[in-house]
Structure formats: structure tokens, C-alpha cells
Amino acid sequence: MAVLLFADVQGGELSVDATAKTLAAVASLGDVHVLIAGAGCDAAAAEAAKLSGVSKVLVAELADYDHGIAEATAALIAGLAGDYGHIVAAATAASKNILPRVAALMDVMILGDVTAVIDADTFERPIYAGNAIQTVKSSDKVKVLTIRTAAFTGVEASGAAAVEAISGATVSGLSTWVEDKVAASDRPELTSAKVVVSGGRGVGSEADFALISGLADKLGAAVGASRAAVDSGYAPNDWQVGQTGKVVAPDLYVAVGISGAIQHLAGMKNSKIIVAINKDEEAPIFQVADYGLVADLFDAVPELTGKI
């Protein structure tokens, strides 16, 4: 049977990177239909139609599906589920809100953060902060799963799929959108950035976190932080990388003043190249780093920034 891929659309814009990587993950499962839901999403549908592996784009254009309102969107997806063997989405904040409700409506299990598709019934996902990989075989008629996109390389934009308008179920009155508060930044988005510079507790203060931002700006990088740095108030929550934060897999990850607790490693250990700067030569981060510098970050980071 075909696969229904729920695409993350925010403000009428498709999350192309997340959708392309999810397509790569499920390409072996059959024809993939991409669902775009919300008002004013023609541009997002056109972007989705260009991605390789998409056989059809379904567009449900209705304001009820805007802003990730889970009740309405889950009702739409559950109503379409009978034609599909798999319902998938990237493991974004929106899909983690919506797909568990879809699974509940269908009385099936939700498989979260899948990192490998073995066959139509069998999947792998990390457990214990990524220290073990669990293989799960589902007997549900329809499999509902979110994909940890950091484990995959996105497909190319070389397709030309048909776009079809649809209508579906909706639910109103259970919740109402009030407002979105989105942090504006000229830097790349953390989960899709090619380069990430992260700071930890060792940075010492919110003011000193400017060292991390300065290096990131020189590298054209996104800024990340460990949970310890976020909990200490050095960095905002949306910069957190780790088991309880965001999962990233950039080409280059620079960890500054981060000890390397397993919870942090779970969010960045799939990075292509890891560089660690820490004055503690016994810090666990050096066990996963490709390049390690044992030095005081307050000496090393300004010098590095100045020489780039």
C-alpha cells in the first residue's frame, strides 16, 4: 500500500529539508503521497511536488489546519488513513503533537523517532538516550511513525508530482489558536544547519555566551547549547541540543565547554565531524570527537574566531 507523508508547513512554507529526509527514509515502502494542510499552502504544495519520490501531493486547504492545531489535523489524517499502509512525518514539534493523536484515533501504536526502516513492518529507534537501538516489529494494519531526520540524507528536488485538492474531516471548538511566538534570527535553523557551534556550562554566563555566537557568525553556523547551559540561563530553550532538546546532524559540530553527558551526545553524535574544546582532558565529549583541543575556551575561542 501507499505511504501518506504529513508535511510540516508553517506560515504557508514547507519544511523542505525535513520533508526531503523523511522521503528518503520511507522510499522503500511504496508510493508516497504528501499531505499539505492549511490555508494559503499552494507554494508549499508546489515545493513538495518537486521532491523525488513523491507520486502525488494532496492539498487540504482550510484554515482549521493552520498553526499545528492537533485536533483538526489529526481528524483529517485519520479520515484518510484507510487508503494507506503507513502514515509518517518528520519528528518535528508539529508532528509529535499530531501523530500520537492520529494513532489514538485509529487505536494503533505510535512509533517515534525511527532511525531506520528495515521492512514494511520492522523499524529501528534509539532508546536509553541513544545508547541502545531498539528493533520494533508492528502488526498494526496501519503503521504510524515519526522519522528522526538527522539519520538520513534528503532526496533531490527533481520530481514533478501531480497536485490534488482534497477535503476531509475537521474538529472545531476543542482548542483555539491564540498566537505564535517565533524567535527571529539571521542564523541558519538549528536542526537543518550544516554547521553548529554549541556552548555548555563551561561558558560560565549568558554574557560570555557571546563568544559562542561570535564564532558561529564567523562560520555561518547555528548556535546550540547543552541542557546545563540552558538550565543555567546562559541560552534560550530553543537552542538546546540533546535528548530533551533538538537532534542535529550537521557536517560540522563544534562543542565548546561541553562535558559530553550521554543526554547531550544523543542529540549530536551523528554529526559528520565533531570538534571539542574543553579544558578537562577527561571530558567524555573527547570520546566521540574527531578533533579535540584541551584548552581554556576563553583563550581558544577568541583566537579561533580571530583567525577565521
Side-chain angles (χ1 to χ4, degrees):
M1 296 180 72
V3 178
L4 181 64
L5 192 163
F6 171 66
D8 193 352
V9 177
Q10 299 294 332
E13 295 186 5
L14 175 71
S15 178
V16 177
D17 182 73
T19 305
K21 290 178 177 178
T22 305
L23 277 165
V26 301
S28 63
L29 297 177
D31 290 342
V32 180
H33 297 175
V34 174
L35 174 62
I36 305 289
C41 53
D42 289 345
E47 287 283 348
K50 296 176 184 177
L51 296 173
S52 298
V54 178
S55 59
K56 185 188 294 184
V57 177
L58 306 177
V59 181
E61 188 151 354
L62 188 66
D64 288 11
Y65 308 130
D66 285 347
H67 308 294
I69 299 298
E71 293 85 357
T73 309
L76 169 68
I77 296 172
L80 297 170
D83 297 329
Y84 298 96
H86 299 80
I87 297 173
V88 305
T92 63
S95 66
K96 287 180 178 180
N97 186 28
I98 294 166
L99 259 63
R101 180 176 286 269
V102 172
L105 290 172
M106 299 172 58
D107 195 24
V108 300
M109 71 183 295
I110 174 75
L111 287 165
D113 286 311
V114 169
T115 55
V117 176
I118 307 302
D119 57 39
D121 301 319
T122 313
F123 312 91
E124 290 183 355
R125 61 181 180 183
I127 57 173
Y128 302 131
N131 284 281
I133 300 298
Q134 181 183 61
T135 301
V136 181
K137 185 166 185 175
S138 172
S139 59
D140 289 328
K141 182 178 179 181
V142 180
K143 283 75 175 175
V144 180
L145 52 147
T146 61
I147 303 294
R148 181 174 285 191
T149 55
F152 301 94
T153 300
V155 300
E156 299 295 327
S158 58
V163 178
E164 176 184 327
I166 65 168
S167 60
T170 184
V171 176
S172 60
L174 292 178
S175 61
T176 305
W177 173 77
V178 177
E179 65 176 329
D180 291 333
K181 292 185 177 180
V182 181
S185 175
D186 293 332
R187 297 191 181 99
E189 203 279 322
L190 182 57
T191 55
S192 60
K194 300 298 183 184
V195 182
V196 174
V197 180
S198 283
R201 193 200 305 271
V203 177
S205 70
E206 182 179 6
D208 287 333
F209 223 83
L211 292 172
I212 306 300
S213 299
L215 178 57
D217 290 340
K218 278 293 187 75
L219 293 171
V223 177
S226 68
R227 177 169 181 171
V230 171
D231 287 349
S232 299
Y234 305 164
N237 288 332
D238 58 336
W239 287 6
Q240 184 176 325
V241 174
Q243 182 184 9
T244 55
K246 295 179 179 177
V247 177
V248 300
D251 294 336
L252 172 63
Y253 188 89
V254 183
V256 181
I258 294 175
S259 63
I262 59 172
Q263 291 86 353
H264 185 76
L265 299 184
M268 46 65 70
K269 66 181 181 181
N270 289 326
S271 303
K272 307 299 185 294
I273 296 175
I274 299 172
V275 175
I277 301 173
N278 199 300
K279 66 181 180 181
D280 178 10
E281 63 182 25
E282 300 298 326
I285 191 71
F286 289 122
Q287 296 177 17
V288 299
D290 298 286
Y291 300 94
L293 176 62
V294 179
D296 189 319
L297 69 89
F298 296 103
D299 296 327
V301 174
E303 183 177 357
L304 178 60
T305 303
K307 289 184 174 179
I308 294 176

